Amino acid sequence: MGGKSSSTLIQQKGSGFGRWYGHVAIVPFLKSPGFCTIRTTSSSHNQFPDVTGTTKLKMMARLNATSELDHFNLQIQTKGGVSHGMHGTYSGNITVPKTGKWVQVEAEWSDFIFQWRGEHVKGPTLSTQLDQLAQIGVSTYFPGKVGKFDIEIKEFSAGN
């Protein structure tokens, strides 16, 4: 989380999806919005498939109509995503419509930006790292807005 922002991820047994909700707040010393992030855990047990040959990351999601935020970032870390000794994160922007219905949102690999702690850094392009996925996640859009969010996430997939 960034600053005073907070969020919770829950999964009710048998539901087939996770509900992620929270509030993005102002970081007092920066006088700008913080962020919230959820990610898969990093472990040797997480084995992601080689998605070389695909063009995008997809997420099946449903946004609660009361959610004030609808812009998010899909995030990926790879084993080789390192620049000057810093392990970066690739971020791709998405907007989830406030329909209350399940929708597929997606970000093209070519639109992902390599960052370290929110700052753009030079590093390997994501297209060269698609056989080395180590972690995937979602964050509230950064730099974004202050407000509440409430999103349900069913699945992630790579495809064309």
Side-chain angles (χ1 to χ4, degrees), residues 60-65 96-104 152:
M60 186 64 72
R62 177 169 61 190
L63 193 64
N64 184 318
V96 182
K98 293 182 186 181
T99 63
K101 297 180 181 182
W102 289 106
V103 295
Q104 180 176 283
E152 295 169 334

Side-chain angles (χ1 to χ4, degrees), residues 32-145:
S32 64
F35 61 91
C36 295
T37 302
I38 55 171
R39 296 182 182 155
T40 58
T41 56
S42 296
S43 73
S44 59
H45 299 357
N46 277 351
Q47 298 293 322
F48 291 98
D50 180 346
V51 294
T52 302
T54 63
T55 59
K56 62 184 90 170
L57 180 60
K58 305 173 188 181
M59 180 176 76
M60 186 64 72
R62 177 169 61 190
L63 193 64
N64 184 318
T66 61
S67 185
E68 297 169 339
L69 305 181
D70 59 358
H71 292 347
F72 298 89
N73 291 116
L74 296 177
Q75 295 189 320
I76 295 177
Q77 285 191 337
T78 66
K79 295 172 187 158
V82 178
S83 176
H84 303 290
M86 301 174 290
H87 207 123
T89 300
Y90 297 91
S91 294
N93 300 334
I94 56 167
T95 299
V96 182
K98 293 182 186 181
T99 63
K101 297 180 181 182
W102 289 106
V103 295
Q104 180 176 283
V105 292
E106 53 194 44
E108 299 278 337
W109 298 130
S110 58
D111 293 334
F112 278 70
I113 297 169
F114 191 57
Q115 301 173 326
W116 186 74
R117 295 189 176 179
E119 298 291 325
H120 296 254
V121 293
K122 289 188 178 192
T125 60
L126 182 53
S127 62
T128 67
Q129 302 291 302
L130 296 177
D131 61 341
Q132 300 180 48
L133 302 186
Q135 192 175 63
I136 60 173
V138 182
S139 74
T140 55
Y141 183 79
F142 181 81
K145 299 188 311 187

